[in-house]
Amino acid sequence: MIETREELDEIRKTCRTMVTKSSSLSAGAAVIPIPGVDVGSDVTLLLRLIPKINEKFGLTPEQIDSLDTESKIMVMTAISNVGSKMAGKYITKKLIVMLLQKMSGKIAAKSVTKYVPFIGSAVAGSISFAAMKYMGNSHIDDCYEIALAAMENKLSPPATEPGFEPKPSELD
């Protein structure tokens, strides 16, 4: 489990670099004027990228399962509170396609613009880059928030019941 805010910030920075590289690859595939190549490459890129981000933040299903019960509950509660669709889950092609369908407006615009001579490919590449960057960075933000909440919950002392007064011997 991540211990410090600095460590968490470094992980976020590393993951943002991974997202930028994947976004560039997505943009490169989008300029190829063959139907379906761009969406297929986006699915492949996300199938690799999202699990790597989860792993960096300690949020793969295996990493979560290896936690003690209390930590596992904290992480799963944080995932639920953030509303992440990809943290702590096995990333499947079906899940990626579902998420890409939510961005279908951008994908449709990318597909149509690809066939406009010269400028169309550049626009399609830009849209693809932006869509991939948005999806990746949104997931990083979710993971960061989840990891931060879990870390802060782990560091905060357990709450005592109202009216509970520790004995002097318990304070030493």
Side-chain angles (χ1 to χ4, degrees), residues 12-22 133 137 140:
R12 179 171 55 184
K13 184 179 173 186
T14 300
C15 289
R16 289 206 190 279
T17 300
M18 291 178 352
V19 167
T20 300
K21 287 178 184 175
S22 292
K133 188 109 169 148
N137 285 341
I140 291 169

Side-chain angles (χ1 to χ4, degrees), residues 11-12 21 27 34-35 54-55 70-71 75 90 116 122 127 153:
I11 291 168
R12 179 171 55 184
K21 287 178 184 175
I34 299 172
N54 284 345
E55 183 180 352
E70 187 177 323
S71 297
V75 169
Y90 290 101
V116 176
I127 292 171
N153 281 335

